[in-house]
Amino acid sequence: MIVSEYWKRLENIRQDIEQQKVFDEDVSRVVIAGPGSGKTYLLTTKVAKLLHTGIVKTPHRIACLTYSNFLASQLSQDLQALEVLDDERIFVGTVHSFCIGEVILPFQKLYQLRVPTPLRIASKEEEAEAIQGAIGAQGLEPPNVRDRSLKLDDLITVLRRYRRLYWDRPSTKFPEITPKIRQRYPNLNWAKFAEDYLTSLLETDQPCVDFVHLEIEALKTIQTYPLVQLSLAARFKWWVIDEYQDLGQPFHQIVLCLLQNTPLQVLAIGDPDQCIYEELQGSKPELIHELSRVIQERGGSEAISLKTNYRSTQQIINLSEVMVEGKRGYLARKTQQGGDRIYCISCQENMQLTVIQRLLRYLVEKEEGPQLQVDQILILHPHRKGRAGINSIANGLENNDWLNKLDKDPDYNERKVGLIEWVEQLAYWCAKDSMLHRPYFTDLLPVWIELVEHYQGYTLLGERFKHEKQLFEALWNLRDAAMNLREWLDALRERLQLDQIVESYGSVRPDDAKEFFHLCQAARTGNRLPTWDIARFAQTGQRIQLTTLHSSKGAQFEAVIVAGFDKIGFGNRRYSPEALDKRLAYVGVTRAKKYLFLLHSGQNAYFVSRVNNASREIVELYEYNGQQLRRRA
């Protein structure tokens, strides 16, 4: 079965000229992979080939890296189907986890790196306090939680972007800021601001750093010490990198440094048109092209573009090109050349939920509609909060008995910390009907062992088995999908002594600990969670998926409803390049396989003009007048 899966993939790859070339040629190169081009399929099969054919032999390894934990999980699941996930020759994870595990921790004491011992990640509150102190150090009044003119989170985000862009050339000025920040702090010294912020984190009673500093410190360590460069190249013969366009300047410089000074081989896959974290991370779409030039200068191959879209109909592909205002040459595979039209619906914002529910009824209709299952439907919005944001839509659907799955629940884990995701996995394991599908019990063990080892301070094989048995027995006796969430959490905390273990873990990951105890409190006294069973908490069964445009990367669904489509900036934000807004719209529409609905309130002239220009070929225009959907001429 394992071999057949691998060989089945090889047969499919041979049907695609561009994919076959990438697969066959074992050289460094950049792959430009548009939406639905099978990049993850190709990337993981390439990794399997490198391992199965002995191109990468022990003691050499492969570093398989990507942007987020969600995308790393997708890679892991795909690699598991090829029976290479547990291979000791491969590292699968995020850039942050790689920098910590392979650079910071191994060389921390040798080179006296600027990180605390033990390594502790700053909490959100500690970051906010450091920001306020750094602003105050320049004689300025920092924003507070009641300040409506400027949010502290916005200032933290902009400082992160500054540090990623100016890590090697501190500048007192930073032009890429919001009008509100420019107006509030016109003479802010950004170089001093960044340094004072970091110093504040490092000199607290419990020294800590944030993930941006870990990226930069790893980069400086690699650039400064040839021993580190040679060590990484000796351990990792190949770096296979997914979503390269999102990884930012520090990691880009790490790759360039290793390419120029070691025999490292790099396969980087990405799409400049899907670079949507420029505001949040300082990522730049041109970095992947610069990487391609360096690879070619070093003797690697030129970039190759995957032209076949295996996901969407040609109508959706054509609309995506309208969004970025340029032909990309992507073609739907022959079996997807046909398909339904794209529907652009004008409706007042307060009617948005009504229209969404009408569309949902149509999509699941057993007689006239496409007869989709609800878990084949994705709802997107540019914003998470606000009167009409994705949180509001999820709440409205839940009140009308539409089962839905919101990627970040507003009552717990808004920060999306790993510990809560693990608790959700525990609940899913207890609530699912069969032990034959994921998560398997072995999927639950790594986090549990990490928690216990941190609490005990040591590792012994016999102790490890005892704790694995403890977790299994606790979960086995809590397998009841209808069990009340509060009761389930209370029993779990008691049987595993989780309170003491999580409190100890909070010394290095304070956000995780805080969110855990916040969840426990919300399950006891909150507005919604006390009535939940663990099946609802684990989001089992078929549910409509809801998320924001920024968080939709990697998603693909038969039908996609993009609500508030005209709320995307489209150049209206002076600090945000118009090209970034177009890329965000591009990502949104390309999540759909066949059915696409764009909802707007007609408030954005740029949006209306772009859709009207495309309407003759690929889009049908409708409006909702409060009673019926009516097609516009």
Side-chain angles (χ1 to χ4, degrees), residues 404-461:
N404 64 82
K405 182 179 180 181
L406 185 62
D407 63 331
K408 294 181 181 180
D409 194 282
D411 287 346
Y412 70 94
N413 201 26
E414 281 193 284
R415 303 175 192 179
K416 205 66 176 175
V417 299
L419 183 58
I420 301 301
E421 292 180 346
W422 177 69
V423 175
E424 289 173 334
Q425 279 194 311
L426 298 183
Y428 198 101
W429 191 88
C430 291
K432 66 181 182 177
D433 295 330
S434 170
M435 296 291 111
L436 299 179
H437 58 80
R438 303 191 73 168
Y440 306 128
F441 179 70
T442 52
D443 296 329
L444 310 176
L445 289 175
V447 174
W448 172 238
I449 297 301
E450 179 186 355
L451 290 169
V452 171
E453 288 181 349
H454 183 273
Y455 179 65
Q456 292 187 162
Y458 62 89
T459 304
L460 290 175
L461 184 58

Side-chain angles (χ1 to χ4, degrees), residues 585-596:
Y586 178 84
V587 167
V589 302
T590 54
R591 300 308 95 196
K593 294 182 179 180
K594 189 173 182 181
Y595 306 99
L596 178 62

Side-chain angles (χ1 to χ4, degrees), residues 203-331:
E203 294 183 356
T204 60
D205 292 337
Q206 292 184 298
C208 54
V209 291
D210 61 8
F211 285 113
V212 177
H213 178 69
L214 292 174
E215 288 180 54
I216 296 171
E217 195 69 7
L219 168 59
K220 290 180 178 179
T221 303
I222 291 170
Q223 288 184 327
T224 304
Y225 303 107
L227 174 62
V228 180
Q229 300 169 13
L230 295 174
S231 173
L232 287 173
R235 282 180 286 160
F236 297 95
K237 185 175 181 180
W238 275 83
W239 283 23
V240 180
I241 309 168
D242 192 20
E243 302 288 356
Y244 191 89
Q245 76 283 344
D246 292 329
L247 298 181
Q249 187 70 246
F251 181 74
H252 175 63
Q253 293 301 325
I254 287 175
V255 176
L256 294 187
C257 176
L258 293 175
L259 277 173
Q260 292 164 351
N261 295 288
T262 73
L264 180 72
Q265 296 287 343
V266 172
L267 175 64
I269 300 182
D271 181 10
D273 288 328
Q274 296 187 71
C275 182
I276 60 174
Y277 299 119
E278 192 168 343
E279 288 179 287
L280 303 176
Q281 306 291 348
S283 54
K284 299 286 186 181
E286 59 267 21
L287 296 184
I288 193 169
H289 297 299
E290 181 182 1
L291 174 65
S292 181
R293 290 194 297 270
V294 171
I295 285 176
Q296 290 180 66
E297 291 170 359
R298 185 178 174 270
S301 295
E302 62 181 2
I304 190 169
S305 180
L306 305 182
K307 293 298 185 181
T308 303
N309 185 312
Y310 294 91
R311 176 190 303 163
S312 304
T313 63
Q314 193 63 47
Q315 291 94 325
I316 293 173
I317 296 171
N318 292 342
L319 179 64
S320 71
E321 293 183 339
V322 171
M323 293 298 102
V324 291
E325 296 184 305
K327 292 289 185 180
R328 299 297 188 265
Y330 299 134
L331 295 174

Side-chain angles (χ1 to χ4, degrees), residues 11 19 85 93 96 104 111 137 151 235 289 344 475 485 519 535 575 610 632:
E11 189 64 30
Q19 285 195 11
L85 181 60
H96 290 136
I104 298 295
Y111 296 119
K151 294 181 180 179
R235 282 180 286 160
H289 297 299
C344 182
L475 295 178
L485 173 61
L519 168 64
Y575 65 94
R610 295 304 305 159
R632 293 169 54 190

Side-chain angles (χ1 to χ4, degrees), residues 1 56 107 142 144-145 156 161 203 212 229 286 311 350 459 488 493 504 509 513 554 575 591 615:
M1 178 178 176
V56 176
F107 297 102
N144 55 56
V145 293
I156 293 174
R161 190 166 78 248
E203 294 183 356
V212 177
Q229 300 169 13
E286 59 267 21
R311 176 190 303 163
N350 61 356
T459 304
W488 180 83
R493 292 161 67 189
S504 173
R509 298 302 291 266
Y575 65 94
R591 300 308 95 196
S615 62

